[in-house]
Amino acid sequence: MAREFQRGHKAKISDLTAGTDLYVGVQITGPGLSFDISCFGLDANEQLSDDRYFIFFNQPKSPEESLQLLGAQAGDTESFRVTLDRIPANIQRLSFTATLDGAGQMSQVGPGYIRIVAGGEEVVRYAFTGSEFTTERAVMLGDFYLKDVWRFAAVGQGFDGGLDALLRNFGGEVAEEEPAAPEPVAGGAPPAFAPPAFAPPAQSTPPPSFGGPAGPPAPVPAPAPQPVHTAPTIVAPMPPPGGTVPPPTPAPAPFGQPAPAPYGRPAAAPFGQPAPAPYGQPAPAPYGQQPPGPPQGVPQGVPQGVPPGGAGLQAALQPYKELPTGQRWTPQNGQLMRVDLGEGGSPVLARQGSMVMYQGKVDFGYKGAGFAGRIVGNATGQEMQLMRCTGKGQVFLAEEGAHLHPVELQGDGICVSAENVLAFDESLQYEVRRIEGHGIPGGALFTMLFQGTGTVVVKTHGTPVVLPVTPTTFADCNAVVAWSAASQVIISSQVRLRRNAYPGHSGETVNLQFRGAPGNFIVVQPYEV
């Protein structure tokens, strides 16, 4: 039975199948869209150092034929043959990508997948939909990567730009376009390995039939205009369609006289004199004098000194009233979160002691099943114990005035430092991961991977910032809050002088290096222990 992967899931190939001669199928479609599906053979630095391992429609195989492009078959838009034990040692990652050929965006694609088949049986599948993307024109679907042994990762990361931009991202060069070579005629014996046989072959639409004799070939239509989101930025102004030219810039006024105002704007008054009021509005009072009429900001008929909302206790408390919105999770302010528990809804898991008040019939139970219910913090070394909130009512959560941020997941995933998790829906799939490293407080960093559909509430010291992941992205283990599920985390120790360094102490700290494809991110907070 095939394993269903979600974005960010990884596994050893040996855990999926004992075979090394594999079939990789990609299915991606969209109304009126055309796709280029390719495989990039990258080196240890994730660069295309040998362009012979860029497998696409114009280069269907590598020199030793460890990578082969097979074409559409068995219901797949494109398929490849990957023989892992024949791949040369300098190729350590295979990135399978899909890019749009022509106009369109990845948000327009329908349900698709990338799958691995061994011996005619599907062993793993990663499914995706267009709702996971926005204006991207390329997507990195899945990677084979060598880390002691060959492994597979479901990536699912969008990339702005088309095939040329993706090629440059991997360090390749874009050659001038040449006439496309005629496609080879299918024939001969099928590949020795066993592709999937149970899926129906892709059907093509037959050309329309006309009764008359065949005429000259129809002209090739011009390519569709490029969407404005992906068009190159134009620095210089361009005249609008029709040849209408904007009016020239007026000549400068003589010294000491005000410059003429642009058309449709009031003229500026000389320095020290009030500017003329727009038509239909009263003229402003001279500087330092009160304009005629009642004081500004106070309605007529209301005595001065009375708050705008009125006098009395109710008016004073009005700005702090509860904010019901009908949503499951409602921030009351930056440090207080309300969650509504209804009949038939999934329970909520929250830190023990984070409840400040509740309304209704709510039951609180200790969540202590397994290691996931008792999580070690990454800075304090204390245990994170969860409580299970069930029933019907409203529960208000907070902890030590920390800033709270609800993060809604819709089938995607995110890694959050265990110290920064306040509460989450029990409907989410979650697991605890341990990142060991010398110098990390407590000896390890514990992070929780959340996936599925639901909300997780993240707490931070101060206002966080979201940064893109680049090959040179480093973060202090005390400052990092969360990161995208597809990012790779590497321990990187450095020595620098810290505030709490003392004589004989080197000030050594542990930094975390983040690596990933474009579209990955990290979240950091302005805080250090």
Side-chain angles (χ1 to χ4, degrees), residues 146-170:
L146 186 61
K147 185 179 179 182
D148 300 330
V149 295
W150 281 103
R151 306 165 187 253
F152 175 72
V155 180
Q157 292 293 330
F159 188 87
D160 291 336
L163 182 60
D164 292 352
L166 195 60
L167 185 61
R168 293 188 183 97
N169 174 72
F170 288 131

Side-chain angles (χ1 to χ4, degrees), residues 82-467:
V82 178
T83 310
L84 294 177
D85 52 6
R86 297 179 59 186
I87 296 177
N90 61 309
I91 302 299
Q92 298 192 14
R93 181 176 291 267
L94 306 176
S95 181
F96 293 89
T97 66
T99 57
L100 282 165
D101 182 11
Q105 300 174 352
M106 283 297 174
S107 59
Q108 301 172 261
V109 305
Y113 60 79
I114 179 173
R115 62 173 177 165
I116 301 176
V117 178
E121 294 185 4
E122 182 176 320
V123 295
V124 66
R125 173 185 292 233
Y126 161 55
F128 56 88
T129 63
S131 61
E132 301 177 24
F133 312 107
T134 54
T135 60
E136 298 95 330
R137 292 180 46 78
V139 59
M140 301 176 187
L141 300 173
D143 286 359
F144 287 80
Y145 64 99
L146 186 61
K147 185 179 179 182
D148 300 330
V149 295
W150 281 103
R151 306 165 187 253
F152 175 72
V155 180
Q157 292 293 330
F159 188 87
D160 291 336
L163 182 60
D164 292 352
L166 195 60
L167 185 61
R168 293 188 183 97
N169 174 72
F170 288 131
E173 296 182 357
V174 180
E176 296 294 332
E177 294 186 359
E178 299 179 357
E183 297 183 358
V185 179
F193 77 114
F198 52 86
Q203 299 181 358
S204 59
T205 305
S209 174
F210 299 92
V220 178
Q226 190 178 20
V228 68
H229 295 88
T230 59
T233 303
I234 300 175
V235 179
M238 304 251 332
T244 304
V245 180
T249 305
F255 179 77
Q257 300 184 16
Y263 177 76
R265 299 183 180 179
F271 179 78
Q273 301 183 17
Y279 178 77
Q281 301 184 15
Y287 178 77
Q289 301 182 18
Q290 183 70 18
Q296 297 184 5
V298 180
Q300 297 186 15
V302 178
Q304 298 188 29
V306 178
L313 180 61
Q314 294 297 328
L317 299 180
Q318 180 66 29
Y320 310 106
K321 289 187 63 177
E322 180 184 1
L323 301 177
T325 61
Q327 303 294 328
R328 178 170 171 82
W329 296 88
T330 307
Q332 300 299 297
N333 52 52
Q335 293 81 33
L336 185 65
M337 182 70 60
R338 187 187 97 173
V339 55
D340 287 17
L341 301 175
E343 295 181 356
S346 63
V348 168
L349 297 178
R351 281 180 179 267
Q352 283 195 355
S354 62
M355 185 274 294
V356 297
M357 70 160 289
Y358 69 94
Q359 296 172 317
K361 185 176 177 57
V362 181
D363 295 326
F364 299 92
Y366 173 62
K367 174 68 174 177
F371 182 62
R374 187 165 54 89
I375 303 168
V376 180
N378 68 325
T380 64
Q382 299 175 353
E383 293 182 353
M384 171 187 171
Q385 297 180 349
L386 300 176
M387 61 181 180
R388 191 169 184 261
C389 308
T390 58
K392 184 177 181 181
Q394 300 83 38
V395 180
F396 293 78
L397 303 171
E399 187 174 57
E400 298 181 353
H403 292 233
L404 305 182
H405 315 275
V407 179
E408 183 179 358
L409 302 180
Q410 297 181 350
D412 41 7
I414 187 173
C415 292
V416 184
S417 173
E419 182 68 15
N420 297 93
V421 176
L422 180 73
F424 55 92
D425 286 318
E426 195 180 41
S427 59
L428 287 172
Q429 301 175 11
Y430 64 97
E431 62 176 294
V432 181
R433 293 184 174 181
R434 178 186 178 99
I435 302 175
E436 298 184 356
H438 175 70
I440 296 182
L445 171 66
F446 290 85
T447 178
M448 298 185 69
L449 172 62
F450 294 95
Q451 294 177 323
T453 302
T455 299
V456 55
V457 180
V458 180
K459 65 186 185 77
T460 63
H461 295 272
T463 303
V465 61
V466 180
L467 301 171

